[in-house]
Amino acid sequence: MRKFYQILKSLIFVGIIGLIIYFSISLQGYDDPTIEIIELTGCYHLSEDQYSKSSNLDDKESYKQLTLRVVKDRIEKHPYVESAEVKFETTGKVLVTITEKMFDTILIIDGKQFLITEKLQVIPVMLYTRGLDYPVIRNPHESSGIKALEVINKREHPDILTACKVITSFKLINSELYEVLSELDLNSGMGISAYFSTFSYELKLGNEDVIRKVIYFNSWYERIKNNGLGEYLDYVDIRFANHIFVGFPGEDQAWDEQI
């Protein structure tokens, strides 16, 4: 019986080796699928053509030398792209599904525009970029040290980091206010002023405890937004602890409300 099992194992082993040799021979002469068409989806901030050109995928004559891995690597090297799924949809046609990075704001320094992602990465705004409906950050205290693809940190750019916290706070606390938040002026490090597209007054936030101040302002705004008071204001100042100062244009007077 033991001899029988040994013979059986030998036959199975020989059979497996035979199958491997068969498939190796039968697959010879068959090349990997040739890429003829590359279609991109998920293109929001740039068109499909712009992504193709920026990723060196606009020369269709070169597609025959490409593989799925090469296509994926080229797309994912684009600074706007978080990830890309690449697969053959049909024979010869490759479908690339792009997932773009999530942007929170536009930073303007010395006339140059940068996008800041939700992970605080700095991305230069490329030519033909569209859909730039984000709050703008202007006039940071230190601007010369900004580098493309770096991550904003507290040590090097504390005021820009604070401004990003303000934007995130509005997004989380009140989507209505976030949608109309148009600009944060950092006043060269002297304190943050916020401006909104639907009302004309300036919101003075300062640099300290900005999240708490956004919460205070949101509570105050919810109380006055329907009574028409906002139409007559020049500024709302919440830089000082537990107080909201409300100024009126053309008059040397302010209303102080304790919070």
Side-chain angles (χ1 to χ4, degrees):
M1 182 65 72
R2 180 177 298 178
K3 186 175 182 180
F4 171 77
Y5 282 119
Q6 289 177 346
I7 295 173
L8 181 61
K9 288 180 181 180
S10 299
L11 290 174
I12 293 174
F13 178 75
V14 171
I16 292 174
I17 296 298
L19 285 173
I20 293 173
I21 294 174
Y22 169 78
F23 284 118
S24 298
I25 295 173
S26 63
L27 291 176
Q28 287 182 359
Y30 289 90
D31 297 327
D32 292 334
T34 300
I35 298 176
E36 300 175 2
I37 300 173
I38 299 177
E39 180 179 315
L40 278 62
T41 63
C43 308
Y44 177 71
H45 286 99
L46 287 175
S47 67
E48 180 178 347
D49 287 343
Q50 290 302 319
Y51 270 122
S52 295
K53 291 178 181 178
S54 301
S55 303
N56 195 25
L57 293 173
D58 55 330
D59 181 10
K60 295 183 179 180
E61 296 298 322
S62 67
Y63 285 0
K64 295 179 180 179
Q65 284 75 47
L66 300 180
T67 63
L68 295 184
R69 169 54 61 184
V70 171
V71 173
K72 179 179 176 66
D73 288 345
R74 289 188 184 182
I75 290 293
E76 290 186 336
K77 286 179 180 178
H78 194 286
Y80 286 7
V81 175
E82 182 69 27
S83 63
E85 179 184 350
V86 182
K87 63 181 180 180
F88 277 101
E89 186 177 45
T90 59
T91 302
K93 180 180 178 180
V94 170
L95 178 64
V96 181
T97 303
I98 291 175
T99 300
E100 295 183 331
K101 293 176 182 177
M102 298 295 293
F103 300 117
D104 277 344
T105 184
I106 298 172
L107 174 64
I108 298 180
I109 296 177
D110 298 328
K112 298 179 181 179
Q113 294 186 349
F114 301 88
L115 287 162
I116 299 181
T117 72
E118 63 178 2
K119 298 179 181 178
L120 301 177
Q121 186 182 33
V122 179
I123 308 293
V125 175
M126 301 185 66
L127 193 63
Y128 305 116
T129 300
R130 59 194 183 186
L132 293 180
D133 188 20
Y134 300 107
V136 173
I137 297 175
R138 299 180 184 271
N139 302 317
H141 178 53
E142 296 290 344
S143 60
S144 59
I146 290 290
K147 299 178 182 178
L149 304 182
E150 77 168 318
V151 176
I152 297 296
N153 60 74
K154 184 176 182 179
R155 181 175 61 85
E156 295 181 355
H157 306 292
D159 55 339
I160 298 176
L161 181 61
T162 300
C164 291
K165 290 181 180 179
V166 170
I167 292 171
T168 300
S169 298
F170 275 115
K171 179 187 285 191
L172 296 176
I173 294 169
N174 190 326
S175 60
E176 176 187 337
L177 283 174
Y178 171 75
E179 291 297 326
V180 298
L181 177 62
S182 58
E183 180 180 324
L184 294 182
D185 189 341
L186 307 192
N187 297 298
S188 299
M190 299 302 293
I192 298 174
S193 295
Y195 299 89
F196 300 84
S197 60
T198 53
F199 39 91
S200 58
Y201 57 82
E202 172 189 1
L203 173 62
K204 300 180 181 182
L205 291 166
N207 287 325
E208 304 295 331
D209 298 326
V210 291
I211 296 177
R212 178 176 61 86
K213 290 174 182 178
V214 169
I215 295 173
Y216 287 163
F217 174 72
N218 178 65
S219 298
W220 180 84
Y221 172 78
E222 289 295 325
R223 288 194 288 112
I224 65 96
K225 68 177 181 179
N226 294 322
N227 64 13
L229 177 63
E231 300 177 10
Y232 304 99
L233 299 181
D234 184 44
Y235 65 84
V236 175
D237 190 344
I238 55 177
R239 290 175 294 173
F240 308 100
N242 301 320
H243 288 271
I244 292 181
F245 294 92
V246 179
F248 298 89
E251 301 181 14
D252 188 19
Q253 66 177 38
W255 163 35
D256 174 14
E257 178 178 347
Q258 190 167 0
I259 54 179

